[in-house]
């Protein structure tokens, strides 16, 4: 099963939902797809979806999926990486009124440049990415949390 996650912020991302429908129609995507679509008026025609899932349900879907397709939300990307999932990320873009700015391009660019995900600039690149995902090998994700906590701890000890 392919998991599609569009997060929980109140922004449309119909371009990606429509592209998934098109790729299923044309036979590019043969695997079952489940989507957490958030706030979108477009309702998928060829795959199961819900606007939102709770944490446990999403975690189970993430565990079960063969790979994740997502928007450029850091939380979803990091969550998938922590589970060792292959990820294709597509940014919401300001020019389509999908977000207030293009910070998702920067987020996706960072993870992609570090060989952690397949990052796209436009929805039209999704078909190529789907063909590449099986042979894509991600690097192991290492969270920076421990480093940050260590720095804060060292600073706190200096203040004492």
């Amino acid at each position: 099963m392919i998991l599609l996650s569009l997060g929980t912020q109140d922004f449309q991302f119909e371009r990606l939902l429509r592209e998934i429908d098109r790729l299923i129609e044309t036979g590019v995507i043969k695997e079952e797809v489940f989507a957490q679509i958030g706030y979108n008026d477009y309702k998928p025609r060829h795959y199961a979806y819900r606007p939102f899932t709770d944490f446990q349900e999403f975690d189970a879907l993430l565990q079960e999926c063969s790979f994740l397709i997502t928007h450029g939300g850091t939380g979803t990307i990091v969550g998938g990486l922590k589970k060792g999932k292959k990820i294709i990320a597509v940014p919401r873009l300001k020019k389509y009124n999908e977000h207030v700015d293009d910070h998702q391009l920067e987020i996706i660019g960072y993870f992609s440049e570090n060989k952690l995900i397949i990052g796209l600039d436009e929805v039209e690149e999704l078909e190529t990415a789907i063909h590449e995902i099986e042979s894509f090998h991600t690097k192991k994700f290492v969270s920076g949390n421990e480093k940050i906590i260590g720095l804060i701890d060292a600073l706190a000890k200096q203040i004492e």
Side-chain angles (χ1 to χ4, degrees), residues 4-6 12-24 35-47 49 123 126:
L4 170 63
S5 175
L6 300 186
Q12 299 281 316
F13 203 5
E14 292 187 13
R15 289 182 311 125
L16 182 53
L17 296 172
R18 289 180 188 278
E19 183 65 3
I20 298 289
D21 261 336
R22 186 188 76 76
L23 293 173
I24 292 170
Q36 177 272 310
I37 66 169
Y39 294 97
N40 276 281
D41 296 330
Y42 180 80
K43 303 305 178 212
R45 297 173 310 178
H46 299 293
Y47 53 99
Y49 69 91
V123 167
L126 184 57

Side-chain angles (χ1 to χ4, degrees), residues 21-139:
D21 261 336
R22 186 188 76 76
L23 293 173
I24 292 170
E25 283 177 6
T26 59
V28 172
I29 295 176
K30 296 173 179 56
E31 198 172 343
E32 174 190 355
V33 174
F34 179 83
Q36 177 272 310
I37 66 169
Y39 294 97
N40 276 281
D41 296 330
Y42 180 80
K43 303 305 178 212
R45 297 173 310 178
H46 299 293
Y47 53 99
Y49 69 91
R50 278 222 292 286
F52 302 100
T53 59
D54 64 32
F55 177 79
Q56 284 98 351
E57 181 182 16
F58 187 80
D59 193 55
L61 289 165
L62 190 55
Q63 189 67 38
E64 178 186 338
C65 75
S66 58
F67 67 92
L68 171 66
I69 300 172
T70 187
H71 67 121
T74 306
T76 307
I77 293 172
V78 170
L81 289 172
K82 284 182 176 180
K83 294 250 187 237
K85 295 299 175 175
K86 294 181 180 186
I87 300 170
I88 298 171
V90 187
R92 285 188 164 97
L93 298 173
K94 181 180 179 179
K95 68 183 178 182
Y96 301 116
N97 296 316
E98 296 164 341
H99 221 304
V100 296
D101 60 26
D102 287 333
H103 72 278
Q104 289 196 355
L105 274 172
E106 295 171 22
I107 292 167
I108 289 171
Y110 170 80
F111 285 104
S112 184
E113 287 167 15
N114 286 284
K115 309 290 187 238
L116 295 165
I117 66 169
I118 295 176
L120 311 180
D121 291 330
E122 291 285 349
V123 167
E124 292 77 18
E125 300 167 351
L126 184 57
E127 182 172 346
T128 301
I130 286 173
H131 290 301
E132 294 172 355
I133 194 72
E134 192 169 316
S135 62
F136 177 74
H137 297 288
T138 184
K139 289 173 30 181

